[in-house]
Amino acid sequence: MAHVNLVTGGAGFIGSHLCEALLNRGEEVLCLDNFFTGRKANIAHLLGNPNFEIVRHDVVNPIVIETDRIFNFACPASPVHYQHNPVKTIKTNVMGALNMLGVAKRVGARILQASTSEVYGDPAVHPQVEGYWGNVNPVGPRSCYDEGKRVAESLFFDYHNQNKVDIRVIRIFNTYGPRMLVNDGRVVSNFVVQALNNAPLGIYGAGDQTRSFCYVSDLVEGILRMMDLDGFHGPVNLGNPGEFTIKQLADLVIELTGSRSKIEYHPLPENDPVRRRPDISLARERLNWNPAVSLREGLTRTIAYFDELLRKG
Ligand code: NAD
Ligand code: UDP
C-alpha cells in the first residue's frame, strides 16, 4: 500500500532525508515545518514530485489533516538552537506530541516519535540499553530538550495504552550528514566547517568526552524498518555503536580535509554528557538493522557536501 506520510520537521536535516526516502518508495509525503531550523533548500529538489507537499505549520498548534503514517520529527536538535528559547522547545516537544497523537487517534494513523539518547542524560550505565531509566538534570540547560522528549515518550505510551494508538518510539543517537546547517552548532558540522575554512577547531572541555556518530542514511533505514514492522512499539535505540572521543573526531576531520587548522580548547558546557554509546542489540534482533557507514566514510561524504556549499557561498 502506498502510504500518505506526514513528516513533521520534514525540512530539517533528518526530516528531509526521510521525505526523500519515502518518495523514492513511491509514497506520498506531507512535509510539515515551521522553518525554525529547517530550510526550503533542503527540500527544493523534491518540489517537482507530485507526491510531495509542504505544509507550513507549527506543531504547538492543533491541525486537522488526513494521513495514515506520522513521523514526528519537529524539534530543534542542536543544543545551541534548542536552548535559544527553552520554553518554546518544551512546547514543541510536549504540545507537538499531544497534537500529533491527537491526529493519529482521530484518523487511526501509525505514529513514530523521534526520541533521543538524551533521555539517558549523562548516563551512569554504559553502553546505554533501552531498559536504563537515565540520569537527567531536571533543571539544567539541557532539560527543556531532555525532559520534553521524556514527556513525549510518556504521552506516546499513554496514548497507546489508553487509546490503542499504534505508536513507535525510537531513541536516536548523534546523527550527522549532509544538510546539517552551517551554523547548526553540533560538533560534526562545526568541525567540518571550521576545518574547511582553515579556522581553529573548537573543542569544548578536554575533548575526552565520547559520542557515537551515525551516518544519516543508516538512520533513515532504521526509521523505515521500525515504521514498517507490525506489533513492535519500542523504545528502541538507533545509532552507530562506534565510540570516539571528541579529540579523535577533531583529528579525523583535520586529516580528511587536509586542513591547516589547529585545535583550540573552550570551556565545557554545563551538564555535557561524559560518554555515550548505544547498545543496539534490540534493533539488530527486532529490525535486523545494523549501521553500514563507517565514521571515515560518512565524514568524507559530509565534507564533500559542506565543501560544495561553502564554495557556492
Ligand atoms: P533539525 O533542527 O535539522 O530539524 C528539526 C526540524 O523541525 C526543522 O526543520 C525545524 O524547522 C522543525 N521544527 C522545529 N520546531 C518546530 C515546530 N514547533 N513546528 C514545526 N516544525 C518545527 O534537527 P534534526 O537533527 O533533523 O532532528 C530531527 C529530529 O530528530 C528532532 O526531533 C530531534 O530531536 C531528533 N533527534 C536528532 C538527533 C541527531 O543527532 N540529529 C539525535 C536525537 C534525536
Ligand atoms: N562539542 C565541541 N565543539 C563544538 C560542538 C560540540 O567540542 O563545536 C562537543 C560538545 O561539548 C559535546 C560533543 O561535542 O561534548 C557533542 O556535541 P553536540 O552538540 O554535537 O551533541 P550532544 O552534546 O547533544 O551530543
Side-chain angles (χ1 to χ4, degrees):
M1 184 171 103
H3 296 286
V4 179
N5 302 279
L6 174 64
V7 180
T8 77
F13 158 52
I14 298 174
S16 64
H17 288 277
L18 183 57
C19 289
E20 195 173 299
L22 291 164
L23 290 171
N24 287 341
R25 303 208 302 188
E27 300 187 9
E28 282 189 49
V29 174
L30 308 172
C31 167
L32 183 154
D33 210 293
N34 72 348
F35 297 100
F36 175 50
T37 50
R39 296 189 315 144
K40 286 193 186 147
N42 286 345
I43 46 171
H45 62 297
L46 307 177
L47 288 173
N49 189 319
N51 286 335
F52 185 69
E53 273 175 62
I54 297 183
V55 184
R56 182 187 276 271
H57 180 77
D58 192 312
V59 291
V60 306
N61 299 313
I63 188 169
V64 176
I65 198 161
E66 304 304 313
T67 171
D68 63 283
R69 286 189 163 185
I70 304 172
F71 296 84
N72 190 35
F73 279 68
C75 179
S78 163
V80 176
H81 295 295
Y82 72 63
Q83 289 172 22
H84 168 73
N85 183 345
V87 173
K88 174 72 187 208
T89 300
I90 297 184
K91 283 186 181 174
T92 297
N93 276 313
V94 177
M95 293 162 75
L98 274 169
N99 286 326
M100 291 309 137
L101 284 160
V103 173
K105 182 180 162 190
R106 188 178 68 80
V107 300
R110 181 174 287 187
I111 179 166
L112 179 144
Q113 167 67 359
S115 191
T116 167
S117 53
E118 286 283 321
V119 300
Y120 303 123
D122 188 4
V125 168
H126 192 77
Q128 290 78 59
V129 286
E130 289 84 352
Y132 175 49
W133 292 353
N135 177 34
V136 174
N137 177 356
V139 294
R142 299 174 85 98
S143 71
C144 59
Y145 184 78
D146 299 11
E147 298 289 19
K149 289 284 185 180
R150 286 168 67 98
V151 172
E153 286 201 14
S154 302
L155 284 168
F156 268 67
F157 278 89
D158 288 339
Y159 267 77
H160 175 64
N161 294 326
Q162 202 176 325
N163 301 112
K164 305 280 169 276
V165 172
D166 189 12
I167 62 156
R168 303 284 179 278
V169 174
I170 57 168
R171 293 182 179 155
I172 303 169
F173 284 64
N174 298 64
T175 298
Y176 69 100
R179 303 198 197 127
M180 296 181 92
L181 293 174
V182 167
N183 66 347
D184 182 272
R186 281 176 282 187
V187 68
V188 172
S189 45
N190 274 8
F191 283 179
V192 168
V193 171
Q194 287 159 349
L196 288 171
N197 288 328
N198 291 306
L201 268 63
I203 290 185
Y204 304 160
D208 50 8
Q209 69 271 41
T210 69
R211 294 293 186 273
S212 301
F213 300 100
C214 184
Y215 190 67
V216 64
S217 59
D218 281 335
L219 180 75
V220 167
E221 178 61 31
I223 294 169
L224 294 176
R225 285 183 190 217
M226 184 62 179
M227 190 54 129
D228 286 342
L229 184 64
D230 290 329
F232 177 51
H233 306 290
V236 64
N237 291 338
L238 292 181
N240 190 318
E243 184 180 1
F244 297 85
T245 67
I246 296 306
K247 172 72 167 65
Q248 285 174 321
L249 177 73
D251 290 339
L252 188 55
V253 169
I254 289 176
E255 178 201 321
L256 293 174
T257 49
S259 172
R260 299 190 301 279
S261 295
K262 300 279 177 264
I263 289 174
E264 268 182 11
Y265 290 89
H266 300 286
L268 188 67
E270 201 182 331
N271 296 157
D272 200 281
V274 175
R275 53 191 191 157
R276 182 181 289 153
R277 171 156 63 100
D279 181 319
I280 58 165
S281 311
L282 188 62
R284 284 191 176 121
E285 184 193 324
R286 300 300 300 262
L287 309 176
N288 193 23
W289 176 81
N290 219 18
V293 181
S294 69
L295 182 58
R296 186 172 276 274
E297 173 59 27
L299 280 179
T300 303
R301 294 184 206 172
T302 307
I303 289 165
Y305 166 80
F306 279 108
D307 192 31
E308 195 187 331
L309 196 72
L310 295 177
R311 273 176 213 275
K312 278 192 218 153

